[in-house]
C-alpha cells in the first residue's frame, strides 16, 4: 500500500471527501485516510500523479510519503517520522488565539461595555458614534485576518463542492461582517443627509454585529487548539511506540560481537 501525506484537512468531513475523491481514481482498489496523522494509504495501480491530482482537485494537498527520504537509512527515516508527528499545531494556534483575544477584548469593550454598560471610552471616541463604528470595523478586520485560515480553507472547499467546518465558520463570520458593513454605510448615508443620530440609535445598538464577526473565528480557534492538544497527546503515544524500534543490531563477525546501524 502506497503512503501519502495529505495537507489541508481540518475535520472528519475533509477526511471523507479525500477518501471519496481518491476512491474515484481509475486503478484505485482501496484508500484509507487518517486525519490524526494527515496520511493516506492507497492500494492499486493508479499513478502517483493521478492520486495527487485527485486530492488537489478536491481542495487539499498531497505528496508521496518519504519521497524526500528515498536515500536515507532506516534510522534517519524513523527520526524524520518522529519529527513529522511532533505537535507543531498547538503552539501556532495558541499564539493565534492569544493575539485574537487581545483585539477581541478591545472590540467587546467598545460594543458591549460602552453600549450596554456605559463604560467610558477614549475622549477621541466619546460621543463619536461614527468613529466608534469605524473602530469596531477595523478591529473585526484585524481579528478576521489573524484567523484567515478559516476563510481560505472554507471558501476553497466550498468552491470545490465539499464544504466543511471551516466553511461554516467563514460564512457565519463573513455574513455578520457584511451585514454590519451595510448598516454602517446606511447610518453614515443617513447622517450625511441630515438624519439626527438619535433617530439612528436603534440601528447602531441592535444591527451592528462586528463583534460577532470577530468572536466566531476566535472561539473556533480555541476549540481547534483544544483539539490539537488532544491530538498531540495521541501522537506522543505513537512517537513512544516508534522509539521502541531498534536503531542498531549486534552481529557476530569472526567470532566477535559487532554493533552496527540497523541499515
Amino acid at each position: 500500500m502506497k503512503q501519502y501525506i495529505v495537507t489541508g484537512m481540518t475535520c472528519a468531513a475533509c477526511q471523507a471527501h479525500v477518501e471519496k475523491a481518491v476512491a474515484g481514481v481509475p486503478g484505485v482498489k482501496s484508500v484509507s485516510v487518517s486525519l490524526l496523522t494527515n496520511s493516506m494509504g492507497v492500494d492499486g495501480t493508479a499513478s502517483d500523479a493521478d492520486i495527487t491530482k485527485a486530492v488537489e482537485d478536491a481542495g487539499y494537498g498531497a505528496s508521496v510519503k518519504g519521497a524526500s527520504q528515498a536515500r536515507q537509512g532506516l534510522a534517519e527515516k524513523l527520526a524524520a517520522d518522529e519529527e513529522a508527528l511532533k505537535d507543531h499545531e498547538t503552539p501556532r494556534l495558541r499564539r493565534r488565539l492569544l493575539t485574537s483575544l487581545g483585539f477581541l477584548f478591545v472590540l467587546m469593550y467598545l460594543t458591549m461595555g460602552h453600549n450596554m454598560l456605559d463604560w467610558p471610552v477614549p475622549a477621541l471616541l466619546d460621543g463619536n458614534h461614527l468613529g466608534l463604528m469605524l473602530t469596531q470595523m477595523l478591529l473585526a478586520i484585524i481579528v478576521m485576518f489573524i484567523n484567515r485560515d478559516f476563510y481560505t480553507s472554507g471558501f476553497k472547499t466550498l468552491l470545490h463542492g465539499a464544504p466543511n467546518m471551516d466553511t461554516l465558520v467563514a460564512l457565519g463570520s463573513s455574513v455578520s461582517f457584511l451585514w454590519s458593513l451595510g448598516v454602517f454605510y446606511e447610518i453614515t448615508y443617513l447622517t450625511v443627509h441630515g438624519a439626527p443620530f438619535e433617530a439612528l440609535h436603534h440601528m447602531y445598538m441592535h444591527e451592528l454585529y462586528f463583534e460577532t464577526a470577530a468572536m466566531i473565528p476566535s472561539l473556533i480557534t480555541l476549540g481547534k487548539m483544544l483539539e490539537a492538544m488532544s491530538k498531540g497527546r495521541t501522537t506522543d503515544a505513537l512517537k513512544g511506540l516508534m522509539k521502541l524500534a531498534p536503531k542498531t543490531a549486534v552481529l557476530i563477525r569472526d567470532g566477535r560481537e559487532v554493533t552496527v546501524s540497523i541499515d
Side-chain angles (χ1 to χ4, degrees):
M1 179 173 280
K2 194 70 170 289
Q3 296 294 319
Y4 299 82
I5 297 295
V6 181
T7 58
M9 295 190 299
T10 59
C11 62
C14 301
Q15 175 182 329
H17 187 58
V18 171
E19 287 184 347
K20 182 178 179 181
V22 176
V25 176
V28 172
K29 295 180 180 178
S30 63
V31 56
S32 176
V33 179
S34 171
L35 178 63
L36 179 65
T37 58
N38 294 321
S39 62
M40 174 177 66
V42 180
D43 187 19
T45 59
S47 66
D48 294 337
D50 289 340
I51 291 173
T52 54
K53 184 178 185 302
V55 176
E56 290 169 357
D57 289 345
Y60 306 90
S63 60
V64 179
K65 189 175 184 179
S68 60
Q69 307 172 6
R71 297 184 179 180
Q72 293 181 347
L74 181 58
E76 288 81 1
K77 289 181 180 179
L78 286 173
D81 287 341
E82 287 184 28
E83 177 63 24
L85 286 174
K86 188 175 292 185
D87 183 12
H88 300 285
E89 191 73 5
T90 300
R92 185 180 69 86
L93 289 172
R94 183 182 292 113
R95 289 192 298 270
R96 194 170 94 183
L97 175 65
L98 292 176
T99 308
S100 299
L101 291 179
F103 289 101
L104 181 63
F105 174 80
V106 179
L107 177 56
M108 295 301 294
Y109 183 92
L110 293 178
T111 54
M112 301 299 181
H114 170 65
N115 291 340
M116 300 180 64
L117 303 177
D118 201 27
W119 288 348
V121 296
L124 181 65
L125 298 176
D126 190 16
N128 181 4
H129 295 91
L130 294 180
L132 280 169
M133 287 189 292
L134 179 61
T135 304
Q136 292 173 28
M137 181 181 69
L138 293 176
L139 288 170
I141 290 174
I142 292 173
V143 175
M144 292 169 72
F145 178 77
I146 293 171
N147 296 278
R148 59 190 177 278
D149 288 352
F150 287 124
Y151 306 94
T152 54
S153 171
F155 288 120
K156 184 178 180 181
T157 53
L158 181 63
L159 291 175
H160 285 86
N164 56 16
M165 184 64 182
D166 288 353
T167 307
L168 296 177
V169 175
L171 287 174
S173 177
S174 298
V175 168
S176 298
F177 181 84
L178 292 175
W179 173 271
S180 302
L181 185 62
V183 173
F184 171 75
Y185 277 113
E186 184 178 0
I187 291 176
T188 56
Y189 175 83
L190 293 175
T191 301
V192 168
H193 286 77
F197 186 77
E198 290 74 14
L200 308 175
H201 189 258
H202 178 81
M203 294 174 62
Y204 171 73
M205 290 290 292
H206 301 290
E207 295 188 29
L208 288 178
Y209 298 100
F210 286 124
E211 75 281 1
T212 304
M215 185 177 291
I216 291 174
S218 298
L219 291 180
I220 301 301
T221 296
L222 172 62
K224 280 185 172 289
M225 188 190 74
L226 296 176
E227 182 182 33
M229 291 172 62
S230 177
K231 180 179 176 181
R233 286 192 290 269
T234 304
T235 54
D236 284 342
L238 293 175
K239 285 189 290 183
L241 291 174
M242 293 176 64
K243 289 179 181 178
L244 297 177
K247 296 178 175 59
T248 60
V250 178
L251 304 180
I252 297 179
R253 290 176 176 170
D254 300 326
R256 293 187 302 110
E257 291 185 354
V258 180
T259 301
V260 299
S261 169
I262 195 67
D263 297 326

